[in-house]
Amino acid sequence: MPHETPRDTDATPGALFLVGDVFAEFAHHEGVFTVSQLARLIRSGTFPEGPGEVRVTLGQGVSLFDVQFVRDTLARRGLADRVVIDDRALHTRAGREIAHKHRPENVLISEPRPVGADWYEADLLVDAANEVMSDHLTGQHMQGMLATEAGRQMFIAVAEQFYLPAEAVGSRYFVIDSFATRYRSFLFPLPAVVRCHVLAHRTPHHTRTTFHCELSVSQGGSETACLEVRFTAFDTQVSHAKETRAAQRSLQDGVALATAAAAAENPARTEVGAS
């Protein structure tokens, strides 16, 4: 097993968590606040309570913009030195080249970090504006597709960052051969870690590299989802040529089916047209 960093820990007694407003239902639990709730408490003078420093850990759905809003609210009341917000993970969000996403809110992971031989991990970073979040939220947990998409981004980022040549980063086209997901428990808007174990990889030709990986999404020391994937990283020019040929074949098949369907629905018109 790989070394597990301290980031993937159980909630400690008295710990305070900050989550995005979209997770208001989860914020009914003691020690959990949404961004708007915490700002209201600060403005009303009820937060923080008592003397001493207060540490706030970020859950899911919080952006750097949200963190700055809370810090500004604290500063206006002279409380900036009393409350420490741990936002380190948000500053390590994976970049466009290795996550293969054009918009930062759609990147679900931090930059992967090695934790053992062929083992890597990253923080789960769910932005409230993420594309997967746009039209589905039920109860207090996060939808399972977030774990699946985080796993997909993770194996691409690991391949790009640690296995492909530096000059190839951002110029490979990833094709999934198989992708299996098993959900073990609910994933809640608290800190979580995505792990990737590269079981095998080989380069049978300079234009492609194949991978076999196992991944997991863990929270509070327990796995919430396990994934297994086989995929190939192709040279972009080769993959585009393959894709174009496949698209042409699909279009030809579609035209043939549409023509046959039209003939079956109205054979008389077809016969007249043929004459």
Side-chain angles (χ1 to χ4, degrees):
M1 288 293 291
H3 168 69
E4 295 187 3
T5 68
R7 296 191 187 195
D8 186 26
T9 57
D10 292 317
T12 56
L16 298 179
F17 292 96
L18 185 65
V19 299
D21 288 350
V22 69
F23 297 118
E25 190 167 349
F26 184 75
H28 291 156
H29 293 278
E30 183 178 357
V32 182
F33 303 98
T34 67
V35 172
S36 295
Q37 287 172 347
L38 189 60
R40 284 196 298 270
L41 291 173
I42 295 168
R43 287 193 293 263
S44 68
T46 57
F47 183 90
E49 296 179 350
E53 183 181 89
V54 177
R55 300 190 67 86
V56 176
T57 299
L58 296 189
Q60 306 298 333
V62 183
S63 67
L64 285 172
F65 188 75
D66 292 328
V67 173
Q68 190 58 52
F69 167 62
V70 173
R71 285 180 172 150
D72 289 344
T73 306
L74 287 164
R76 283 192 291 271
R77 294 194 59 84
L79 298 170
D81 295 334
R82 288 276 316 280
V83 180
V84 177
I85 303 175
D86 184 0
D87 63 350
R88 289 173 297 174
L90 291 181
H91 292 277
T92 64
R93 192 180 297 272
R96 175 172 170 170
E97 279 194 329
I98 66 171
H100 288 209
K101 287 292 183 181
H102 290 274
R103 301 180 64 88
E105 64 268 25
N106 291 331
V107 177
L108 288 169
I109 59 171
S110 68
E111 292 183 356
R113 48 192 179 266
V115 292
D118 294 316
W119 278 91
Y120 306 87
E121 69 176 29
D123 297 299
L124 180 68
L125 303 174
V126 178
D127 192 289
N130 183 274
E131 58 190 342
V132 181
M133 294 280 293
S134 64
D135 196 30
H136 178 73
L137 187 64
T138 303
Q140 301 179 42
H141 68 281
M142 299 191 295
Q143 52 266 50
M145 283 306 299
L146 285 168
T148 301
E149 173 60 14
R152 190 191 70 84
Q153 292 182 20
M154 182 66 172
F155 69 69
I156 291 175
V158 165
E160 289 275 31
Q161 192 168 345
F162 298 104
Y163 291 89
L164 298 179
E167 64 274 13
V169 173
S171 64
R172 287 293 188 266
Y173 194 89
F174 287 76
V175 176
I176 297 173
D177 300 309
S178 64
F179 196 5
T181 303
R182 175 178 294 179
Y183 297 103
R184 296 187 179 277
S185 63
F186 287 132
L187 179 64
F188 294 105
L190 293 170
V193 170
V194 185
R195 294 193 175 90
C196 177
H197 183 197
V198 179
L199 300 174
H201 66 96
R202 65 187 188 93
T203 305
H205 191 269
H206 72 276
T207 61
R208 65 185 184 274
T209 303
T210 62
F211 292 86
H212 179 200
C213 301
E214 288 182 343
L215 302 104
S216 66
V217 179
S218 299
Q219 188 170 72
S222 300
E223 292 183 347
T224 65
C226 299
L227 310 93
E228 182 179 2
V229 62
R230 295 177 186 270
F231 64 97
T232 303
F234 286 97
D235 176 270
T236 300
Q237 291 184 341
V238 172
S239 67
H240 282 178
K242 290 178 176 289
E243 187 177 34
T244 297
R245 290 194 297 270
Q248 290 172 340
R249 288 194 299 270
S250 182
L251 179 59
Q252 292 167 358
D253 292 342
V255 169
L257 286 172
T259 302
E265 290 178 1
N266 197 341
R269 178 176 295 182
T270 305
E271 292 174 2
V272 171
S275 65

